[in-house]
Amino acid sequence: MKNAPVIIPTLCRYEQLKGCIISLQKNKYAMGTELFIGLDYPARESHWAGYKQIKEYLKSGLDGFLNIHLIEHKKNMGWYQNYNILRNEVYKKYDCYIYTEDDNIFSPNFLEYMNKNLVRYQDDDRILAISGYSYPIGWGSNNTESNTLKLNTYFSAWGYGIWKAKEKLMLQFLTMNNFDKLMRNSSYMYKLRLLAKNQYCNFIKGMVEYTDMLVCDNEIMSIDLSYGLYMLFKNKYMIFPIISKVRNMGHGAGGLNCKDIVFDTTIDVDHRNYIYADQEIDYGESYGLSGDALDVNEEIQQNMDSFFAVSQKEYFRCNCTLVLYKIFGRKNMVKIINKLKH
């Protein structure tokens, strides 16, 4: 199997993109890897300076990879369309790919880890994707045999690999009709609440458009939250490394999806109070497959619940919203939420 290509949509964050590419160049698998970079067109004045730096950087003659393909857009496409164009281009030649945003820093063995696991699990219908990122929670004190684990409640988009056939089936499922049925499916919602209270709340808030992380123009977005909800419903899993091979540098600094985090040392660390840019990652030069992926046990579940903590107030509001959703329907609940927000 050829090395999976890497696709990177970008626009104006020059320093972040440069750091991302330099970290990939340090991977020994880089020489056999093609990069597909989509350079979007500025949508506002503040984009131009970084955009020009990136354009000059990418045309300066980068080395260390099998090939570098640059797709320059003549008008602003937005992140998602930029990504779609890259993915379609890659699928002309490959049946899988590795995706990253432009603000990730990678371990020296990231590409080896991704490619070996993409080969290992390509025919395993239970495995949807391979994550390079891993949450900073500690994955169990008794784990000594495996360097990976599998989750079906969270999909991490901070550097992941996926196969064309599996992605196609997932994208076909991401419809408003299907997600409305999930919201009304008591057994599914009970399971989601039990396994991942934060995802349960995110799902409800997204469906009523209290947050903009799930629905756009009355359609389900192809995004990490919808992927995670699909995994749980279809009993699919994502493979995670025990030690993260990705450090995300995108909170603040012009990031599209990750807002700036002001770390508060007086309260417990959780997903809303953590300095992701300081997270330790694996600096090993090589990666070797080791045992079967670890299953989530009680200790891991407790660690996950602690990191993805949900306040009692938020949990109560989401429970009430779900009841009202079933009574009034999605469109009416969106109207109600919009009135309350304004």
Side-chain angles (χ1 to χ4, degrees):
M1 177 178 170
K2 297 180 293 186
N3 287 359
V6 176
I7 66 177
I8 311 174
T10 191
L11 171 57
C12 62
R13 293 187 295 175
Y14 166 69
E15 292 296 339
Q16 285 84 357
L17 177 66
K18 184 178 178 181
C20 175
I21 291 177
I22 288 173
S23 69
L24 287 172
Q25 286 173 320
K26 295 177 181 178
N27 279 249
K28 65 181 181 181
Y29 271 43
M31 288 297 296
T33 300
E34 294 193 80
L35 288 190
F36 289 77
I37 301 173
L39 179 58
D40 206 355
Y41 195 78
R44 58 178 69 102
E45 188 63 33
S46 60
H47 292 162
W48 278 101
Y51 168 82
K52 290 178 180 178
Q53 286 181 297
I54 288 176
K55 191 170 183 177
E56 182 178 347
Y57 172 64
L58 294 177
K59 291 190 173 183
S60 66
L62 298 180
D63 57 14
F65 299 97
L66 180 62
N67 280 306
I68 298 177
H69 307 273
L70 174 60
I71 299 175
E72 290 186 65
H73 300 296
K74 302 304 181 183
K75 64 179 182 178
N76 186 264
M77 308 300 292
W79 165 82
Y80 188 63
Q81 187 61 19
N82 189 4
Y83 155 66
N84 271 337
I85 291 169
L86 287 171
R87 179 177 59 186
N88 292 338
E89 188 66 26
V90 161
Y91 277 156
K92 293 177 182 178
K93 185 176 178 180
Y94 294 89
D95 61 4
C96 65
Y97 66 85
I98 298 167
Y99 166 83
T100 177
E101 295 174 355
D102 60 7
D103 51 22
N104 291 319
I105 299 295
F106 297 101
S107 297
N109 64 35
F110 168 76
L111 292 176
E112 183 176 12
Y113 159 83
M114 294 299 297
N115 280 280
K116 285 186 174 180
N117 280 292
L118 283 168
V119 171
R120 183 179 191 180
Y121 293 105
Q122 63 182 339
D123 297 321
D124 189 337
D125 289 338
R126 299 168 303 169
I127 306 303
L128 174 66
I130 312 297
S131 172
Y133 181 73
S134 195
Y135 304 110
I137 66 172
W139 291 113
S141 58
N142 297 321
N143 176 41
T144 58
E145 298 181 352
S146 180
N147 55 20
T148 57
L149 73 151
K150 57 184 181 181
L151 293 175
N152 68 343
T153 49
Y154 286 90
F155 186 105
S156 173
W158 295 353
Y160 69 87
I162 196 167
W163 303 265
K164 180 179 182 179
K166 297 181 183 183
E167 183 183 51
K168 181 179 179 180
L169 287 175
M170 176 179 66
L171 294 178
Q172 289 173 346
F173 183 83
L174 304 185
T175 67
M176 181 58 72
N177 183 55
N178 283 337
F179 273 61
D180 180 67
K181 289 179 180 178
L182 292 184
M183 278 280 282
R184 298 176 182 279
N185 186 325
S186 297
S187 60
Y188 173 83
M189 295 304 288
Y190 174 78
K191 183 178 181 181
L192 179 59
R193 182 171 68 241
L194 188 67
L195 294 177
K197 190 180 292 184
N198 178 57
Q199 289 288 73
Y200 167 79
C201 291
N202 286 338
F203 183 23
I204 294 169
K205 291 186 292 184
M207 285 296 284
V208 300
E209 299 184 39
Y210 178 77
T211 60
D212 58 0
M213 64 172 117
L214 185 61
V215 176
C216 181
D217 295 330
N218 204 38
E219 293 186 357
I220 298 298
M221 299 168 63
S222 297
I223 199 168
D224 50 1
L225 174 57
S226 59
Y227 294 178
L229 295 168
Y230 166 82
M231 286 197 302
L232 183 63
F233 184 75
K234 292 292 188 178
N235 198 30
K236 307 290 184 182
Y237 293 86
M238 189 175 209
I239 298 296
F240 286 78
I242 296 296
I243 303 174
S244 185
K245 301 183 186 300
V246 183
R247 179 185 295 126
N248 184 275
M249 309 296 290
H251 287 82
L256 179 64
N257 298 311
C258 298
K259 307 304 181 184
D260 199 9
I261 292 177
V262 179
F263 183 64
D264 187 346
T265 59
T266 66
I267 61 176
D268 293 337
V269 169
D270 64 23
H271 69 294
R272 293 168 177 158
N273 188 48
Y274 180 75
I275 305 177
Y276 290 92
D278 290 344
Q279 182 174 352
E280 286 297 318
I281 60 174
D282 181 7
Y283 283 104
E285 295 293 328
S286 299
Y287 169 82
L289 297 172
S290 177
D292 294 329
L294 187 69
D295 289 312
V296 174
N297 56 30
E298 185 176 349
E299 181 182 1
I300 291 174
Q301 186 64 54
Q302 289 175 349
N303 290 343
M304 290 283 287
D305 289 343
S306 178
F307 186 70
F308 290 102
V310 175
S311 70
Q312 287 299 317
K313 180 184 291 186
E314 181 178 358
Y315 183 51
F316 174 76
R317 287 176 175 173
C318 287
N319 285 333
C320 293
T321 301
L322 179 59
V323 172
L324 295 173
Y325 183 101
K326 292 181 178 180
I327 296 172
F328 296 111
R330 197 189 86 83
K331 291 183 178 180
N332 287 326
M333 282 305 300
V334 170
K335 292 178 182 178
I336 293 170
I337 294 297
N338 282 334
K339 288 181 180 180
L340 291 175
K341 287 170 67 174
H342 296 98

